[in-house]
Amino acid sequence: MSIHLEDSSTYQAIHKRGEEKGRQRGLIDGIREGAILTLQKTLLRQGKVKFGPVAPLQEASIRAITDLERLERMTEQLLIGASWEDVFDTL
């Protein structure tokens, strides 16, 4: 009688733990990606209302930003800034 590693309870427990960690990481990454996309969309829509049409280069620049904290600061600056330049100057 041969025993396969995959049949051991220790292997199965470790494998299950790894799957759980993978699911949790995927969920966290998905939530973060959703927040980034939402802030990008908010900047584009509200910026268009406040400052007028968004130049293609500006839109591409906003869509390229994946730093969640910077997008949050830019969204805040959108409220008080006088131009797209004010929003983009946010570091």
Side-chain angles (χ1 to χ4, degrees):
M1 179 175 174
S2 66
I3 299 176
H4 298 313
L5 179 63
E6 293 85 4
D7 294 333
S8 77
S9 60
T10 302
Y11 173 85
Q12 290 176 2
I14 292 169
H15 184 71
K16 183 176 180 180
R17 202 171 320 139
E19 285 180 336
E20 282 295 320
K21 285 185 179 184
R23 273 194 282 279
Q24 289 173 356
R25 183 66 198 168
L27 179 61
I28 290 168
D29 290 347
I31 290 170
R32 182 173 178 76
E33 184 176 329
I36 289 168
L37 292 172
T38 298
L39 287 171
Q40 290 170 340
K41 184 177 179 180
T42 298
L43 280 167
L44 293 168
R45 289 186 75 192
Q46 292 182 358
K48 181 179 177 183
V49 169
K50 185 168 183 179
F51 305 128
V54 184
L57 183 59
Q58 291 172 320
E59 181 174 349
S61 295
I62 289 172
R63 293 193 186 281
I65 298 170
T66 59
D67 179 342
L68 184 59
E69 290 76 21
R70 180 167 184 216
L71 289 167
E72 288 171 341
R73 290 190 303 273
M74 290 174 76
T75 303
E76 292 169 356
Q77 185 63 28
L78 184 65
L79 296 172
I80 57 174
S83 67
W84 277 114
E85 289 74 28
D86 291 340
V87 174
F88 279 102
D89 285 344
T90 304
L91 298 177

